[in-house]
Amino acid sequence: MGISLDGLSSGLDTTSLIASLMQSESIPQNLLKAQVTSTTAEITALQSLNAKIAALGVLAKAASKPGALDLYSASSSNTNVKATAGAGATGGELQVVVSALAQNQIGVSAAMSAWPTPATITIVGHGGPVEISAASGSLDDVVTAVNASSAGVTATKVAAGKDSGGNPVYRLQFSSKTTGADAAFSVYQGTAANVAAGTATNVLTAPGAAITKTAQDASVKLWAGTSAEQTVTSASNTFTDLLPGVSVTVSATSTDPTTITIGRDSSAVASKASALVDALNLVFSVISNQSASSTVTNADGTTSLKAGVFAGDSTVRDIDDKVMSAATMPIDGHSPSEYGISVTKDGTITFDTDKFQAALAADPDAVNAALQTISTRVAAVTDIASDKYTGQITQRITGDQSSVTSLNDQVAAWDIRLASRKSTLERTYSAMEVLLSNMKAQSAALTSQLSSLSSSSSGS
């Protein structure tokens, strides 16, 4: 372990002296470190802004697509008929009478204790015959084999009492996995070849068996009671082709007609406009907060103002101006404020839902066109700013990251340089102390010799 002997000969505090000299020598490196810190802070702020602009772009691009604002809602006069409007829906109404609900098929076998040997089952349905081989004649094995097959049918073993000998017997219940007329099926004891030859036994029509629920489509009547009456069927209880863009789900039959009404959904359109304004304000907020000065406490206890990361940043200021212009410039001579989108004194945008919906009710096509124009303009600006390859902010981030890498390399080089300089200083001062120590020793020896000579001369 090294021992530090400060100023044994010189009386100097060499450790403090070297530390002071090294502090001076480290000034260039400290400037580099400060630059790394400030550039890293800039990168973090730019990344945050880039993310907010990208999110704004997603909303703007979605709203700018053709038909994106043609939003409709559906209502029904009967709770047993639910209607939902989606893309492609248009205004109007339709009356339907629900004649039947879709259902799957369920059938049960006669009571049995085991499946006849060989344990082969063939299920014939809409997709053709599916031949199934069970591991054994055990009803549990038959159930397992049916449920693992591609026949689209499930099997369940149900207790059915005891036979004449007191042994437990069971029925196998078979159910189609889907509803609709095409879900009908037959279950046979035997192979597919036996079925084709007519020698297989139909398990569901044998004595003691029964089909307890018949597979059927749901059906509704349109214009019931008129010469134009028409029946529409569906394999499920949901109809997707009654009206463009409208899904209708039925849950009970009826004799009276149910009225389905499709109308423009002004609330949904307003919600999209509001979301776009919120995203715009989030971008403005990030820029404003990162541009503002803040009070900081210095090392000596005094305070001073520190400029924000974006203060004086021409790139950020240019993007801020472009986004604001895209959102607030007139459309065909009309200010967005006519539709409830207005600029405030503090550089943000407000959205007046009531004013927007009133304008939408008065002229939906004009308002939708205006909102799409704003969205298209904003989307174009977000691409300029945050495109992952060519965006202004993206390129700034990439450039700053390269600068930080280079600066860190320079800091590391200074570490080596400063370590070498400190080692040199330590050797220099150590050598000086040794030299001074030698000189003191020589001085003491000379003094002793002179003293001896002086004593000898006096004695003679």
Side-chain angles (χ1 to χ4, degrees):
M1 182 173 68
I3 300 175
S4 176
L5 301 174
D6 282 345
L8 290 177
S9 297
S10 66
L12 297 174
D13 184 355
T14 55
T15 298
S16 297
L17 184 59
I18 292 173
S20 179
L21 290 171
M22 289 306 301
Q23 188 174 10
S24 178
E25 295 273 358
S26 300
I27 289 175
Q29 187 191 48
N30 290 336
L31 291 174
L32 289 172
K33 288 180 177 180
Q35 195 171 349
V36 168
T37 300
S38 64
T39 305
T40 300
E42 181 177 281
I43 291 171
T44 300
L46 287 171
Q47 287 174 330
S48 175
L49 176 59
N50 214 27
K52 301 299 186 296
I53 292 177
L56 170 62
V58 171
L59 284 177
K61 288 171 185 176
S64 68
K65 292 179 180 178
L69 302 175
D70 292 331
L71 304 176
Y72 291 83
S73 60
S75 60
S76 169
S77 62
N78 188 331
T79 57
N80 293 323
V81 178
K82 296 186 182 300
T84 304
T90 56
E93 70 173 39
L94 181 68
Q95 289 189 329
V96 300
V97 173
V98 183
S99 306
L101 297 179
Q103 59 186 31
N104 66 334
Q105 175 180 313
I106 299 177
V108 295
S109 70
M112 63 178 74
S113 57
W115 194 265
T117 303
T120 304
I121 310 99
T122 299
I123 298 178
V124 179
H126 181 66
V130 175
E131 187 174 300
I132 304 165
S133 296
S136 72
S138 161
L139 296 183
D140 289 328
D141 285 343
V142 171
V143 167
T144 298
V146 170
N147 290 340
S149 75
S150 61
V153 173
T154 60
T156 306
K157 187 177 77 170
V158 182
K162 296 182 179 180
D163 59 17
S164 57
N167 300 310
V169 291
Y170 303 89
R171 293 176 183 269
L172 293 185
Q173 177 175 286
F174 298 91
S175 307
S176 59
K177 294 180 180 180
T178 58
T179 59
D182 285 344
F185 64 91
S186 298
V187 180
Y188 292 90
Q189 292 177 358
T191 65
N194 297 146
V195 173
T199 58
T201 300
N202 189 330
V203 173
L204 301 182
T205 59
I211 294 177
T212 60
K213 187 165 73 170
T214 304
Q216 69 178 25
D217 290 334
S219 65
V220 296
K221 291 180 181 178
L222 310 182
W223 312 292
T226 71
S227 58
E229 181 176 296
Q230 176 182 333
T231 297
V232 179
T233 61
S234 171
S236 72
N237 286 323
T238 297
F239 296 79
T240 58
D241 53 0
L242 296 180
L243 291 168
V246 178
S247 174
V248 177
T249 300
V250 298
S251 57
T253 59
S254 63
T255 55
D256 297 324
T258 295
T259 301
I260 298 169
T261 304
I262 314 300
R264 190 178 291 275
D265 192 344
S266 60
S267 294
V269 179
S271 179
K272 284 185 175 290
S274 179
L276 184 65
V277 170
D278 287 344
L280 284 163
N281 282 330
L282 196 55
V283 170
F284 298 142
S285 175
V286 170
I287 294 174
S288 176
N289 291 338
Q290 294 290 356
S291 299
S293 296
S294 59
T295 301
V296 296
T297 301
N298 302 315
D300 60 2
T302 61
T303 60
S304 61
L305 285 178
K306 181 181 178 182
V309 177
F310 293 158
D313 192 314
S314 59
T315 299
V316 174
R317 185 171 60 251
D318 178 60
I319 290 169
D320 184 67
D321 291 341
K322 285 178 178 177
V323 173
M324 179 62 77
S325 296
T328 60
M329 283 193 306
I331 305 103
D332 296 329
H334 294 274
S335 169
S337 62
E338 296 179 31
Y339 313 121
I341 301 173
S342 307
V343 183
T344 65
K345 292 180 180 179
D346 61 0
T348 58
I349 299 176
T350 60
F351 179 71
D352 188 327
T353 302
D354 293 337
K355 190 172 184 178
F356 182 87
Q357 290 190 336
L360 188 64
D363 192 346
D365 292 336
V367 175
N368 280 353
L371 186 55
Q372 282 197 307
T373 298
I374 292 172
S375 299
T376 300
R377 294 188 313 209
V378 170
V381 174
T382 61
D383 278 343
I384 293 172
S386 65
D387 181 88
K388 63 181 180 179
Y389 299 114
T390 62
Q392 290 175 292
I393 297 178
T394 305
Q395 291 182 335
R396 273 283 302 280
I397 292 170
T398 302
D400 283 351
Q401 288 172 332
S402 296
S403 295
V404 168
T405 300
S406 176
L407 289 168
N408 281 327
D409 289 342
Q410 294 178 59
V411 168
W414 267 97
D415 283 336
I416 297 172
R417 187 181 309 173
L418 291 171
S420 175
R421 177 60 176 156
K422 184 177 181 180
S423 178
T424 298
L425 288 171
E426 289 173 341
R427 288 197 304 272
T428 298
Y429 279 101
S430 177
M432 182 188 73
E433 293 294 335
V434 170
L435 180 61
L436 287 173
S437 177
N438 290 337
M439 290 176 66
K440 284 185 176 183
Q442 290 175 0
S443 176
L446 287 172
T447 299
S448 176
Q449 291 176 7
L450 288 173
S451 178
S452 297
L453 288 172
S454 176
S455 298
S456 174
S457 175
S458 298
S460 63

